[in-house]
């Protein structure tokens, strides 16, 4: 039991002393062996012949010294052995990590080269460090030839981009194709600054489609301008002989005519007036479409203006047996500045429609102040308009009644012109 306990204490002491003597363990072991040999020789001399207490004491001291040095050497060797095992274990772990890193690098390199997108890595001076095979193929150079070149010298045209950004893509031209270019900063330090990675995705088909779309739109706008110009010219030219026809019809109506002839003349006059209204609408429509429409503002007395509108349509309303009236609120100012001809045209279109589609009851024009503006409102007691048609009838050549069921005339330009005038 004492031997076991002594051995444990020695091991404990060696464990504690090991870090102090690990670097000198070989020297201590050699010194312990040398002192032990000397002590052995003195023991032999002390015990041979007459017993010598002095030599015995020296032998005991040397033996204890050699034992202590041997203990220190053993402690150092044990500590060195533990450290060697730890280093061997760490080396194995490091080897495993290096193997995993190399395998990951190999996978990343494979993905890097197999990407369909163009990928390039540049330093802070925008010199190429690395690129994948797709980038090399697009540029038409090998990676060895590209390294050290700038993006511009490699053929990446950034001059038509929308500005360089690390978060927003820009359009760049590489060779004969367009790419969407995005740059990402990296944490890798290279030279005087951090490197960055750029990824470019082929958008050549989209750019080609955009160019074709712009070209088609320009052709359509040119055709629309030509149509509007043709419409304005033709309408203006038709109005000249039509004025002659209407004038001659009025002169003819003042002569001695039979009842049958007078009926014919009235039909010619009514048709001429309807045709003149249509031509005026077409002229206004084409002027607005070509941007040649100008307003001529002047002071207008609101109440007298509204009375004139009602008087113009009073005969037609009374002919249908319906009423027509105007009401102006007391807080409406006496006058305002506007283009009276265009305002009259817009309101007459609305009032004319109200009279046309009202068979009983009446039509009213009311004027009020609403949120700092003067509001003109037309109401009628007609059959109304379905909600699905309320927006459609303000488009060109659109009417509520369509096809063979139409019971009223017109080509569907009045409300469209009104909307454009107001706009």
């Amino acid at each position: 039991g004492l031997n076991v306990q002594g051995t444990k204490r020695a091991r404990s002491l060696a464990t504690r002393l090991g870090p102090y003597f690990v670097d000198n363990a070989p020297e201590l072991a050699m010194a312990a062996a040398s002192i032990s040999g000397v002590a052995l020789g003195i023991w032999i001399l002390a015990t041979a012949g007459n017993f010598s207490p002095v030599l015995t004491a020296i032998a005991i001291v040397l033996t204890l010294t050699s034992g202590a040095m041997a203990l220190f050497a053993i402690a150092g060797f044990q500590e060195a052995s533990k450290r060697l095992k730890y280093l061997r274990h760490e080396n194995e772990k490091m080897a495993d990590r290096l193997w995993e890193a190399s395998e990951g690098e190999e996978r990343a390199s494979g993905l890097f080269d197999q990407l369909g997108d163009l990928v390039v890595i540049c330093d802070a001076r925008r010199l190429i460090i690395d690129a994948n095979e797709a980038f090399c193929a697009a540029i038409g150079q090998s990676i060895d030839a590209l390294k050290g070149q700038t993006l511009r010298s490699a053929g990446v045209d950034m001059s038509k981009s929308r500005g360089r950004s690390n978060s927003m893509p820009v359009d760049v031209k590489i060779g004969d194709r367009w790419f969407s270019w995005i740059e990402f900063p990296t944490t890798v330090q290279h030279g005087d600054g951090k490197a960055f990675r750029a990824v470019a995705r082929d958008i050549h088909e989209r750019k080609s489609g955009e160019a074709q779309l712009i070209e088609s739109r320009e052709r359509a706008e040119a055709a629309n301008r030509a149509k509007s110009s043709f419409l304005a010219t033709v309408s203006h030219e038709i109005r000249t002989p039509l004025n002659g026809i209407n004038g001659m019809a009025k002169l003819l109506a003042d002569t001695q005519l039979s009842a049958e002839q007078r009926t014919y003349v009235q039909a010619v006059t009514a048709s001429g007036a309807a045709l003149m209204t249509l031509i005026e609408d077409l002229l206004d429509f084409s002027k607005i479409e070509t941007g040649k429409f100008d307003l001529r503002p002047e002071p207008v007395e609101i109440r007298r203006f509204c009375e004139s509108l009602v008087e113009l349509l009073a005969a037609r309303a009374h002919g249908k047996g319906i009423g027509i009236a105007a009401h102006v609120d007391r807080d409406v100012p006496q006058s305002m500045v506007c283009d009276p001809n265009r305002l009259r045209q817009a309101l007459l279109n609305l009032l004319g429609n109200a009279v046309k589609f009202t068979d009983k009851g009446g039509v009213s024009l009311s004027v009020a102040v609403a949120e700092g503006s003067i509001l003109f409102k037309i109401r009628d007691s007609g059959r109304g308009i379905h909600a699905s048609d309320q927006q459609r009838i303000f488009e060109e050549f659109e009417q509520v009644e369509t096809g063979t069921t139409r019971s009223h005339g017109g080509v569907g330009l009045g409300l469209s012109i009104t909307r454009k005038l107001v706009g």
Side-chain angles (χ1 to χ4, degrees):
L2 290 175
N3 290 336
V4 171
Q5 188 175 5
T7 303
K8 289 183 177 179
R9 288 179 179 176
R11 288 178 180 175
S12 176
L13 180 62
T15 301
R16 289 198 299 271
L17 295 177
Y20 298 103
F21 299 105
V22 64
D23 296 329
N24 301 316
E27 291 83 355
L28 289 172
M30 291 177 65
S34 299
I35 294 172
S36 178
V38 174
L40 180 60
I42 294 175
W43 274 112
I44 294 172
L45 291 175
T47 56
N50 296 327
F51 176 76
S52 175
V54 176
L55 292 177
T56 302
I58 293 173
I60 292 172
V61 171
L62 291 177
T63 301
L64 292 175
T65 301
S66 66
M69 296 181 73
L71 177 63
F72 295 152
I74 291 171
F77 282 126
Q78 286 182 347
E79 181 67 21
S81 176
K82 290 195 310 188
R83 291 185 181 183
L84 186 61
K85 289 181 180 179
Y86 175 77
L87 289 175
R88 189 181 296 113
H89 178 68
E90 289 298 317
N91 284 338
E92 291 176 355
K93 289 169 61 177
M94 187 64 67
D96 291 341
R97 290 176 183 174
L98 287 174
W99 180 81
E100 292 175 358
S102 64
E103 188 180 37
E105 182 180 358
E106 185 177 351
R107 287 198 304 266
S109 178
L111 290 173
F112 182 74
D113 289 332
Q114 296 302 321
L115 276 174
D117 296 337
L118 278 56
V119 183
V120 61
I121 301 175
C122 299
D123 62 13
R125 295 177 299 168
R126 308 193 74 78
L127 298 178
I128 297 174
I129 303 171
D130 198 3
N132 67 346
E133 293 180 358
F135 186 87
C136 297
I139 298 298
Q141 299 183 46
S142 65
I143 184 59
D144 294 331
L146 285 173
K147 285 182 178 179
Q149 292 191 47
T150 63
L151 290 172
R152 183 178 295 276
S153 63
V156 180
D157 183 11
M158 303 286 288
S159 60
K160 297 181 180 180
S161 66
R162 300 191 300 271
R164 190 174 299 147
S165 171
N166 288 337
S167 57
M168 296 294 293
V170 297
D171 295 345
V172 300
K173 201 166 187 180
I174 302 176
D176 295 328
R177 300 187 70 80
W178 283 94
F179 292 83
S180 179
W181 182 275
I182 308 178
E183 295 179 2
F184 302 95
T186 66
T187 57
V188 178
Q189 194 77 15
H190 190 277
D192 298 333
K194 292 183 179 179
F196 71 89
R197 181 183 293 107
V199 179
R201 177 159 295 177
D202 193 336
I203 56 169
H204 193 74
E205 300 301 328
R206 191 195 77 187
K207 295 289 286 188
S208 300
E210 289 177 357
Q212 293 176 1
L213 183 62
I214 292 173
E215 184 180 355
S216 300
R217 184 182 65 188
E218 290 176 349
R219 286 201 302 266
E221 290 175 349
N224 188 52
R225 288 193 297 269
K227 175 212 66 174
S228 298
S229 178
F230 172 78
L231 186 61
T233 302
V234 171
S235 300
H236 181 76
E237 294 300 325
I238 291 176
R239 187 168 58 172
T240 301
L242 184 59
N243 282 329
I245 294 172
N246 289 338
M248 291 299 103
K250 289 182 179 179
L251 292 176
L252 184 61
D254 294 334
T255 61
Q256 295 292 330
L257 300 173
S258 64
E260 185 177 2
Q261 290 172 333
R262 190 166 296 279
T263 301
Y264 295 156
V265 171
Q266 290 175 352
V268 171
T269 302
S271 298
L275 185 56
M276 182 62 75
T277 301
L278 175 59
I279 291 174
E280 294 290 347
D281 285 344
L282 290 173
L283 278 173
D284 286 334
F285 181 78
S286 60
K287 284 181 181 179
I288 296 173
E289 287 290 309
T290 54
K292 297 179 180 180
F293 179 81
D294 295 320
L295 294 174
R296 296 183 174 86
E298 61 183 72
V300 175
E301 292 187 17
I302 297 178
R303 288 164 178 79
R304 183 176 298 179
F305 176 78
C306 293
E307 289 173 1
S308 66
L309 291 176
V310 172
E311 289 173 357
L312 285 173
L313 294 172
R316 193 191 308 176
H318 293 161
K320 293 188 67 175
I322 60 175
I324 184 170
H327 173 75
V328 181
D329 286 356
R330 298 179 64 179
D331 58 346
V332 173
Q334 192 69 25
S335 64
M336 65 179 179
V337 177
C338 67
D339 185 331
N341 293 325
R342 295 306 180 185
L343 180 58
R344 181 182 294 108
Q345 182 180 5
L347 292 174
L348 280 177
N349 273 328
L350 298 174
L351 285 168
N353 274 356
V355 172
K356 182 191 298 186
F357 292 99
T358 301
D359 297 324
K360 59 181 180 179
V363 176
S364 69
L365 166 64
S366 62
V367 186
V369 175
E371 299 181 357
S373 300
I374 298 178
L375 175 65
F376 292 83
K377 184 181 295 185
I378 290 93
R379 297 173 63 93
D380 64 69
S381 57
R383 62 178 181 268
I385 305 172
H386 195 273
S388 61
D389 295 324
Q390 290 178 4
Q391 296 298 322
R392 180 178 61 83
I393 61 172
F394 284 92
E395 301 298 327
E396 294 86 2
F397 306 105
E398 290 287 348
Q399 293 180 305
V400 175
E401 295 178 331
T402 58
T404 57
T405 61
R406 288 176 54 191
S407 58
H408 300 85
V411 293
L413 278 178
L415 290 181
S416 173
I417 293 173
T418 299
R419 178 175 60 85
K420 292 179 182 296
L421 287 173
V422 173

XYZ file of all heavy atoms in Angstrom, residues 184-236:
411
model
N -20.196 42.494 -56.532
C -20.321 42.134 -55.125
C -18.969 42.333 -54.443
O -17.964 41.783 -54.905
C -20.753 40.672 -54.964
C -22.046 40.337 -55.628
C -22.069 39.791 -56.900
C -23.257 40.569 -54.989
C -23.254 39.483 -57.525
C -24.450 40.264 -55.608
C -24.449 39.725 -56.873
N -18.902 43.092 -53.361
C -17.630 43.213 -52.633
C -17.303 41.910 -51.905
O -18.197 41.183 -51.472
C -17.897 44.354 -51.646
C -19.379 44.343 -51.450
C -19.972 43.893 -52.765
N -16.032 41.618 -51.773
C -15.584 40.419 -51.058
C -14.735 40.836 -49.859
O -14.328 41.988 -49.726
C -14.745 39.511 -51.976
O -13.533 40.197 -52.313
C -15.507 39.172 -53.243
N -14.491 39.881 -48.977
C -13.659 40.140 -47.797
C -12.194 39.803 -48.060
O -11.361 39.932 -47.175
C -14.158 39.296 -46.614
O -14.145 37.907 -46.975
C -15.580 39.697 -46.232
N -11.882 39.379 -49.275
C -10.518 38.982 -49.615
C -9.676 40.222 -49.856
O -10.048 41.090 -50.654
C -10.516 38.081 -50.862
C -9.089 37.707 -51.235
C -11.360 36.840 -50.613
N -8.552 40.310 -49.154
C -7.619 41.422 -49.337
C -6.654 41.070 -50.452
O -6.018 40.011 -50.439
C -6.859 41.701 -48.042
C -6.118 43.028 -48.031
C -7.044 44.203 -47.803
O -8.173 44.013 -47.381
N -6.568 45.406 -48.082
N -6.543 41.951 -51.437
C -5.637 41.689 -52.552
C -4.909 42.984 -52.877
O -5.505 43.962 -53.315
C -6.407 41.187 -53.775
C -5.511 40.681 -54.866
N -4.922 41.507 -55.791
C -5.090 39.418 -55.167
C -4.197 40.800 -56.625
N -4.283 39.520 -56.275
N -3.607 42.996 -52.671
C -2.826 44.190 -52.967
C -3.152 45.316 -51.998
O -3.122 45.155 -50.776
N -3.527 46.472 -52.552
C -3.791 47.652 -51.736
C -5.238 47.741 -51.257
O -5.600 48.669 -50.539
C -3.468 48.928 -52.546
C -2.000 48.983 -52.929
O -1.195 48.390 -52.184
O -1.673 49.599 -53.955
N -6.081 46.841 -51.671
C -7.487 46.919 -51.272
C -8.159 45.574 -51.382
O -7.523 44.547 -51.645
N -9.489 45.574 -51.182
C -10.265 44.340 -51.250
C -10.696 44.063 -52.679
O -11.013 44.976 -53.433
C -11.490 44.449 -50.339
C -11.144 44.487 -48.860
C -12.399 44.517 -48.015
C -12.039 44.520 -46.519
N -13.241 44.569 -45.665
N -10.696 42.787 -53.017
C -11.144 42.381 -54.340
C -12.664 42.412 -54.404
O -13.350 42.463 -53.388
C -10.615 40.983 -54.658
N -13.210 42.404 -55.614
C -14.660 42.304 -55.803
C -14.958 41.285 -56.899
O -14.129 40.995 -57.755
C -15.273 43.672 -56.149
C -14.935 44.172 -57.526
C -15.724 43.843 -58.609
C -13.831 44.980 -57.739
C -15.420 44.305 -59.880
C -13.517 45.451 -58.998
C -14.313 45.104 -60.081
N -16.168 40.734 -56.808
C -16.624 39.739 -57.784
C -17.764 40.351 -58.599
O -18.645 41.011 -58.050
C -17.101 38.477 -57.082
C -17.580 37.381 -58.038
C -18.117 36.176 -57.291
N -17.057 35.490 -56.554
C -16.908 35.528 -55.231
N -17.749 36.239 -54.496
N -15.935 34.874 -54.641
N -17.744 40.146 -59.902
C -18.798 40.641 -60.790
C -19.433 39.456 -61.516
O -18.735 38.539 -61.963
C -18.245 41.640 -61.790
N -20.760 39.486 -61.606
C -21.517 38.440 -62.307
C -22.326 39.109 -63.413
O -23.008 40.116 -63.171
C -22.455 37.684 -61.348
C -23.239 36.618 -62.112
C -21.657 37.051 -60.222
N -22.241 38.582 -64.616
C -22.954 39.143 -65.771
C -23.872 38.082 -66.354
O -23.435 36.963 -66.635
C -21.967 39.630 -66.829
N -25.149 38.456 -66.529
C -26.147 37.528 -67.099
C -26.563 38.011 -68.479
O -26.821 39.194 -68.687
C -27.361 37.439 -66.173
C -28.492 36.558 -66.699
C -29.383 36.110 -65.574
N -28.665 35.251 -64.638
C -29.190 34.756 -63.520
N -30.435 35.045 -63.199
N -28.476 33.985 -62.725
N -26.646 37.086 -69.413
C -26.952 37.426 -70.801
C -28.390 37.945 -70.923
O -29.349 37.254 -70.574
C -26.779 36.185 -71.683
C -26.760 36.527 -73.170
O -27.307 37.572 -73.529
O -26.191 35.750 -73.954
N -28.541 39.192 -71.394
C -29.878 39.791 -71.605
C -29.999 40.296 -73.042
O -30.760 41.228 -73.328
C -30.128 40.955 -70.624
C -29.025 42.021 -70.743
C -30.237 40.465 -69.195
C -29.343 43.313 -70.018
N -29.225 39.689 -73.941
C -29.203 40.189 -75.316
C -30.573 40.084 -75.978
O -30.986 40.997 -76.707
C -28.164 39.403 -76.136
C -27.855 40.031 -77.461
N -27.095 41.172 -77.574
C -28.231 39.696 -78.716
C -27.007 41.507 -78.854
N -27.677 40.622 -79.557
N -31.272 38.993 -75.708
C -32.597 38.833 -76.319
C -33.555 39.903 -75.808
O -34.355 40.451 -76.572
C -33.147 37.432 -76.011
C -32.287 36.295 -76.538
C -32.119 36.371 -78.048
O -33.058 36.832 -78.730
O -31.038 35.991 -78.541
N -33.466 40.214 -74.509
C -34.338 41.253 -73.962
C -34.033 42.613 -74.569
O -34.937 43.373 -74.916
C -34.157 41.312 -72.451
C -35.201 42.162 -71.738
C -34.779 42.475 -70.319
N -33.764 43.526 -70.289
C -33.127 43.900 -69.190
N -33.343 43.288 -68.048
N -32.239 44.877 -69.235
N -32.725 42.931 -74.707
C -32.351 44.207 -75.306
C -32.799 44.284 -76.757
O -33.257 45.334 -77.222
C -30.837 44.396 -75.206
C -30.312 44.531 -73.791
C -30.709 45.851 -73.172
C -29.939 47.015 -73.725
N -30.199 48.274 -72.995
N -32.689 43.167 -77.478
C -33.145 43.154 -78.870
C -34.647 43.377 -78.940
O -35.145 44.119 -79.796
C -32.771 41.826 -79.534
O -31.372 41.630 -79.517
N -35.390 42.736 -77.993
C -36.836 42.948 -77.949
C -37.190 44.387 -77.630
O -38.142 44.950 -78.201
N -36.428 45.001 -76.717
C -36.685 46.408 -76.385
C -36.458 47.303 -77.605
O -37.241 48.222 -77.869
C -35.782 46.848 -75.233
C -36.152 46.240 -73.890
C -35.179 46.656 -72.795
O -34.201 47.361 -73.120
O -35.404 46.281 -71.637
N -35.382 47.036 -78.344
C -35.096 47.843 -79.532
C -36.202 47.690 -80.571
O -36.648 48.678 -81.187
C -33.746 47.430 -80.129
N -36.681 46.452 -80.756
C -37.772 46.233 -81.711
C -39.054 46.909 -81.242
O -39.803 47.477 -82.045
C -37.995 44.738 -81.896
C -36.836 44.009 -82.577
C -37.058 42.517 -82.645
O -38.087 42.004 -82.199
N -36.085 41.797 -83.188
N -39.282 46.875 -79.919
C -40.482 47.517 -79.381
C -40.425 49.020 -79.582
O -41.426 49.646 -79.958
C -40.610 47.187 -77.884
C -41.861 47.713 -77.174
C -43.107 47.120 -77.789
C -41.801 47.391 -75.682
N -39.256 49.631 -79.336
C -39.112 51.080 -79.539
C -39.318 51.430 -81.009
O -39.999 52.409 -81.347
C -37.724 51.539 -79.052
C -37.638 51.402 -77.524
C -37.443 52.969 -79.475
C -36.259 51.669 -76.974
N -38.742 50.612 -81.884
C -38.902 50.874 -83.316
C -40.371 50.757 -83.737
O -40.878 51.594 -84.496
C -38.045 49.896 -84.106
C -38.069 50.132 -85.606
C -37.204 49.129 -86.365
O -36.523 48.327 -85.702
O -37.221 49.156 -87.606
N -41.059 49.729 -83.218
C -42.483 49.564 -83.548
C -43.307 50.723 -83.014
O -44.218 51.223 -83.695
C -42.994 48.237 -82.972
O -42.286 47.144 -83.495
N -42.985 51.165 -81.791
C -43.729 52.284 -81.222
C -43.507 53.565 -82.035
O -44.449 54.320 -82.285
C -43.292 52.507 -79.783
C -44.085 53.597 -79.059
C -43.564 53.805 -77.662
N -42.196 54.318 -77.688
C -41.429 54.452 -76.616
N -41.878 54.071 -75.433
N -40.203 54.933 -76.719
N -42.270 53.794 -82.452
C -41.994 54.984 -83.262
C -42.736 54.923 -84.590
O -43.260 55.949 -85.060
C -40.485 55.110 -83.489
C -39.716 55.484 -82.221
C -38.218 55.518 -82.444
O -37.786 55.052 -83.531
O -37.495 56.014 -81.563
N -42.780 53.729 -85.193
C -43.533 53.602 -86.454
C -45.014 53.859 -86.233
O -45.670 54.538 -87.037
C -43.328 52.209 -87.045
C -41.963 51.988 -87.677
C -42.007 50.840 -88.665
N -42.442 49.605 -88.026
C -41.607 48.694 -87.534
N -40.306 48.894 -87.615
N -42.073 47.604 -86.967
N -45.555 53.324 -85.108
C -46.970 53.531 -84.822
C -47.268 55.008 -84.553
O -48.294 55.539 -85.010
C -47.382 52.687 -83.614
N -46.363 55.685 -83.818
C -46.585 57.115 -83.556
C -46.513 57.926 -84.847
O -47.293 58.864 -85.032
C -45.544 57.613 -82.549
C -45.745 57.069 -81.144
C -44.641 57.490 -80.194
O -43.623 58.033 -80.696
O -44.794 57.286 -78.969
N -45.563 57.569 -85.714
C -45.465 58.272 -86.989
C -46.722 58.049 -87.832
O -47.242 58.994 -88.457
C -44.226 57.802 -87.751
N -47.221 56.794 -87.834
C -48.451 56.508 -88.583
C -49.638 57.260 -87.994
O -50.499 57.766 -88.731
C -48.721 55.005 -88.583
N -49.683 57.357 -86.644
C -50.782 58.075 -86.008
C -50.732 59.568 -86.342
O -51.763 60.201 -86.591
C -50.715 57.869 -84.494
C -51.936 58.413 -83.781
O -53.067 58.102 -84.130
N -51.706 59.244 -82.775
N -49.510 60.143 -86.342
C -49.390 61.555 -86.710
C -49.798 61.776 -88.162
O -50.476 62.765 -88.492
C -47.951 62.026 -86.494
C -47.573 62.181 -85.030
C -46.259 62.938 -84.890
N -45.157 62.207 -85.498
C -44.390 61.344 -84.838
N -44.612 61.091 -83.555
N -43.391 60.726 -85.436
N -49.397 60.850 -89.030
C -49.782 60.970 -90.436
C -51.297 60.868 -90.598
O -51.906 61.612 -91.383
C -49.082 59.895 -91.257
N -51.912 59.961 -89.821
C -53.377 59.807 -89.890
C -54.078 61.068 -89.443
O -55.021 61.558 -90.086
C -53.788 58.629 -89.005
C -55.300 58.426 -88.897
C -55.701 57.866 -87.556
C -55.430 58.866 -86.450
N -55.938 58.425 -85.137
N -53.602 61.642 -88.308
C -54.241 62.845 -87.784
C -54.061 64.018 -88.741
O -54.984 64.806 -88.960
C -53.655 63.191 -86.412
O -53.902 62.145 -85.494
N -52.864 64.126 -89.337
C -52.617 65.206 -90.293
C -53.492 65.048 -91.529
O -54.080 66.024 -92.028
C -51.140 65.213 -90.690
O -50.883 66.209 -91.638
N -53.607 63.796 -92.007
C -54.471 63.534 -93.164
C -55.932 63.853 -92.843
O -56.647 64.470 -93.650
C -54.322 62.072 -93.583
C -55.292 61.636 -94.631
C -55.100 61.972 -95.963
C -56.405 60.876 -94.301
C -56.001 61.575 -96.945
C -57.303 60.475 -95.266
C -57.099 60.820 -96.593
N -56.359 63.458 -91.649
C -57.743 63.700 -91.249
C -58.034 65.195 -91.179
O -59.083 65.669 -91.637
C -57.997 63.046 -89.889
C -59.430 63.055 -89.358
C -60.355 62.305 -90.300
C -59.482 62.449 -87.965
N -57.074 65.958 -90.595
C -57.278 67.402 -90.495
C -57.326 68.046 -91.873
O -58.164 68.916 -92.145
C -56.166 68.015 -89.668
N -56.430 67.618 -92.764
C -56.387 68.209 -94.114
C -57.662 67.905 -94.882
O -58.280 68.808 -95.499
C -55.166 67.665 -94.875
O -53.986 67.978 -94.134
C -55.066 68.290 -96.252
N -58.077 66.649 -94.862
C -59.278 66.251 -95.607
C -60.512 66.945 -95.046
O -61.367 67.445 -95.796
C -59.436 64.723 -95.585
C -60.782 64.307 -96.155
C -58.311 64.065 -96.367
N -60.621 66.996 -93.711
C -61.791 67.636 -93.104
C -61.862 69.111 -93.487
O -62.942 69.646 -93.780
C -61.732 67.498 -91.577
O -61.719 66.141 -91.203
N -60.705 69.771 -93.485
C -60.675 71.187 -93.840
C -61.066 71.391 -95.308
O -61.824 72.316 -95.657
C -59.282 71.751 -93.585
C -59.173 73.209 -93.891
N -59.686 74.176 -93.055
C -58.616 73.871 -94.945
C -59.453 75.378 -93.573
N -58.801 75.210 -94.717
